[in-house]
């Protein structure tokens, strides 16, 4: 088995980006014909496709490029046309992005000509598939210096990413083209494959990865393992109706001796109260999961299956952000929430953005009443630790010397908070999901020199922590879904209760388990971690759930929105092939 280079991390990307920019440019150009063989030159002083896929170091760089693309394209952005916002907004758990306007007709967004439809998933997914195909094809060549073991390992790691992308594409668009070779010249003859065939391709790629990647005990924190592939494979098998295979794949992850849900407090903040300036809340193990430094297996986290690495101010570590921009996109803009003084004037809750009051958020995406209230009323509102005040902050202390109410609680003391405009209620103030932030752990230079109000910030948008791409709690919920497909409700309930038991929530009875209960539980456990849109479209539950639980989007959603349209630009360019539009979008 090829032994991973444990020290080759994303921080090498200054060099990698230069290599692959040149590679991409050359790979997309026409190749010379055989008659012109005598004109071919061998570059010796710059990177090209001919000399960029030779050594194991070259292939390490190419693989790291895939990690970086996934992290950048799907987890790091805050824009309405990009993941993660595009995959969470306008679902049952969140309203639409503020830039769209909260009353925008969803039908006017889900148009084949809208940039959202192309930019959110189609374009970045196929770019990653292209890069993966290059690695798979060139690693099999005899014109490189790889050992047989290295050839297998690099190809299998690339297949993991290709399978991951095809899974997501099938979830959202249904029928899409399957491309398994390096594209070396312009193509206009792509043909869509059925959704089932796309899932079958994803399953084949992920099975190869599961069979050939190293065990989770043998990979460094930044690298995928065989268990990450088995987790994704379980979801794909569910989509294919192969429920026993899905159970078996998930069980490989759950039953591994080195994986377990975290049930005991851990990390350097395990004995800490949450933010004394905001009420000195008690904390719990669910809170620990999202504290800075606690995500990786090397920190003792046995629940981590695949963790995306972020390092502030380290080359290749998402330098300018230092973490996913969950705070900017999903936390309330509390520093602009207004409280009325006794004379009718207003003062903000805090005078400046504050590390302990949702940071310097912009409140781009607001969770729904369904998320903040309904699912917790169904779960034991005060019992379920995921709803504790350290994890979802629903009340704040006024921390502004210019306010007549300085030091008082907004709701406990019945203060006159201004909740009249759309911005007041959908951007400036709503409960704060604290997994968006690492309060007080922002870089020192993010804090203002004037700390008369403790925690005052000059800037801060990111969570400043690593982020889970796969967490074991989701594997349990996938297996529960597979057991439900097999008609084994008791086993499904047992898997759900493994997650609920850790949260000290009331346990579910087998007779109460259905797919909607599992979706509720996924929302409670995985909010802002899962791509909710893809979960709902995979199950053809998007239209139903949004109509039922999203008062804004649900009024405008149409029956055919369980799949997104194929981007018109792709159909228009494909003059010699067949990319049919999804029903309802013609």
């Amino acid at each position: 088995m090829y032994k991973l280079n444990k020290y080759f991390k994303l921080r090498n990307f200054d060099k990698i980006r230069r290599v692959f920019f040149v590679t991409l440019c050359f790979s997309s150009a026409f190749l010379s014909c055989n008659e012109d063989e005598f004109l071919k030159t061998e570059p010796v002083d710059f990177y090209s496709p001919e000399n960029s896929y030779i050594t194991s170091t070259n292939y390490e760089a190419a693989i790291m490029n895939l990690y970086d693309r996934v992290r950048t394209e799907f987890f790091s952005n805050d824009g309405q046309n990009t993941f993660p916002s595009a995959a969470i907004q306008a679902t049952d758990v969140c309203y639409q992005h503020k830039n769209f306007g909260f009353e925008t007709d969803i039908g006017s967004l889900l148009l084949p000509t809208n940039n959202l439809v192309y930019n959110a998933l189609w374009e970045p997914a196929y770019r990653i598939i292209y890069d993966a195909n290059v690695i798979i094809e060139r690693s099999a060549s005899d014109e490189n210096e790889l050992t047989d073991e290295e050839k297998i390992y690099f190809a299998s790691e690339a297949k993991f990413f290709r399978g991951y992308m095809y899974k997501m594409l099938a979830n959202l668009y249904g029928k899409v083209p399957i491309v398994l070779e390096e594209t070396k010249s312009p193509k206009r003859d792509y043909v869509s494959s059925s959704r089932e065939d796309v899932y079958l391709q994803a399953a084949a790629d992920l099975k190869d990865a599961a069979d050939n990647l190293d065990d989770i005990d043998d990979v460094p924190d930044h690298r995928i393992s065989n268990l990450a592939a088995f987790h994704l494979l379980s979801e794909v098998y569910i989509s294919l109706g192969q429920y026993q295979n899905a159970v078996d794949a998930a069980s490989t992850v759950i039953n591994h001796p080195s994986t377990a849900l975290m049930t005991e407090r851990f990390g350097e903040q395990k004995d800490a109260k949450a933010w004394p300036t905001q009420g000195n809340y008690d904390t719990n193990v669910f809170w620990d999961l999202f504290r800075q430094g606690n995500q990786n297996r090397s920190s003792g986290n046995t629940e981590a299956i695949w963790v995306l690495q972020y390092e502030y101010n380290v080359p290749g570590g998402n330098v300018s952000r230092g973490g996913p921009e969950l705070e900017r996109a999903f936390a309330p803009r509390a520093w602009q929430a207004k409280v009325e003084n006794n004379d009718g004037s207003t003062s903000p809750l805090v005078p400046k953005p504050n590390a302990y009051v949702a940071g310097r958020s912009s409140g781009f995406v607001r969770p729904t009443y369904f998320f903040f209230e309904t699912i917790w009323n169904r779960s034991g509102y005060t019992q379920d630790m995921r709803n504790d005040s350290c994890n979802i902050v629903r009340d704040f202390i006024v921390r502004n010397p210019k306010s007549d109410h300085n030091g008082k609680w907004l709701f406990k003391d019945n203060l006159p908070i201004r909740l009249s405009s759309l911005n007041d209620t959908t951007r400036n103030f709503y409960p704060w999901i604290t997994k968006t932030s690492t309060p007080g752990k922002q870089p020192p230079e993010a804090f203002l020199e004037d700390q008369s109000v403790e925690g005052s910030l000059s800037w801060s948008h990111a969570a400043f922590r690593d982020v889970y791409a796969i967490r074991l709690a989701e594997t349990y919920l996938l297996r529960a879904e597979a057991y439900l497909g097999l008609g084994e409700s008791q086993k499904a309930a047992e898997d759900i209760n493994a997650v609920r038991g850790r949260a000290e929530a009331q346990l579910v009875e087998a007779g109460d388990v259905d797919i909607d209960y599992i979706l509720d539980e996924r929302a409670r456990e995985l909010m802002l971690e899962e791509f909710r849109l893809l979960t709902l479209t995979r199950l053809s539950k998007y239209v139903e759930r949004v109509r039922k639980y999203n008062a804004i989007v649900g009024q405008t959603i149409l029956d055919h929105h369980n799949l997104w349209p194929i981007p018109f630009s792709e159909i228009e360019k494909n003059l010699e092939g067949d990319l049919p539009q999804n029903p309802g979008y013609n």
Side-chain angles (χ1 to χ4, degrees), residues 531-558:
F531 296 145
R532 186 69 171 183
L533 171 67
L534 302 189
T535 300
L536 297 178
T537 55
R538 168 173 68 85
L539 294 165
S540 296
K541 297 285 285 185
Y542 177 69
V543 171
E544 175 191 337
R545 297 273 299 193
V546 172
R547 281 176 174 164
K548 190 172 183 178
Y549 297 122
N550 191 318
I552 303 297
V553 180
Q555 298 178 39
T556 63
I557 199 166
L558 301 175

Side-chain angles (χ1 to χ4, degrees), residues 109-219:
L109 298 179
L110 291 185
L111 293 175
T113 54
N114 195 309
N115 287 337
L116 168 70
V117 170
Y118 177 75
N119 292 338
L121 178 58
W122 186 282
E123 191 271 340
Y126 275 110
R127 192 188 323 156
I128 290 169
I129 288 169
Y130 168 84
D131 288 342
N133 284 339
V134 173
I135 295 168
I136 293 164
E137 186 170 320
R138 290 176 184 251
S139 64
S141 169
D142 293 331
E143 298 180 2
N144 60 54
E145 299 173 2
L146 301 181
T147 65
D148 289 343
E149 291 79 8
E150 289 172 335
K151 288 176 183 287
I152 293 171
Y153 203 92
F154 286 128
S156 296
E157 200 163 8
K159 286 180 182 179
F160 171 91
F161 288 98
R162 188 172 71 181
Y164 183 29
M165 293 301 104
Y166 278 127
K167 174 194 80 75
M168 292 202 292
L169 286 165
N171 286 354
L172 191 58
Y173 301 98
K175 297 179 180 180
V176 300
I178 297 174
V179 184
L180 302 179
E181 297 178 351
E182 178 183 351
T183 303
K184 297 176 181 177
S185 62
K187 285 177 60 68
R188 301 179 182 88
D189 59 351
Y190 291 105
V191 176
S192 289
S193 296
S194 69
R195 194 182 204 186
E196 180 181 14
D197 283 345
V198 180
Y199 280 133
L200 286 170
Q201 180 59 50
D205 281 342
L206 293 167
K207 183 64 166 60
D208 184 287
D211 289 342
N212 291 295
L213 294 180
D214 282 347
D215 186 79
I216 198 166
D217 288 333
D218 298 325
V219 297

Side-chain angles (χ1 to χ4, degrees), residues 343-360:
D343 61 3
S345 64
T346 61
S347 297
L349 177 67
V350 285
K352 299 287 184 180
N354 194 282
Y356 306 106
V357 192
R360 200 189 187 285

Side-chain angles (χ1 to χ4, degrees), residues 459-512:
W459 60 270
S460 173
H461 291 151
F464 295 101
R465 63 170 174 84
D466 297 328
V467 65
Y468 301 106
I470 301 175
R471 187 159 61 85
L472 184 63
E474 184 182 13
T475 318
Y476 273 98
L477 296 179
L478 283 175
R479 193 170 72 172
E481 193 178 328
Y483 276 133
L484 186 64
L486 290 170
E488 299 185 41
S489 297
Q490 181 57 46
K491 289 184 177 179
E494 289 170 4
D495 277 346
I496 294 168
N497 286 335
V499 177
R500 292 183 62 74
R502 187 264 296 281
E504 299 179 356
Q506 58 197 26
L507 303 184
V508 65
E509 299 292 333
D512 294 327

Side-chain angles (χ1 to χ4, degrees), residues 395 405 407-416:
D395 203 357
H405 310 289
K408 295 180 181 179
W409 291 90
L410 283 179
F411 296 119
K412 189 185 299 183
D413 294 322
N414 196 29
L415 300 187

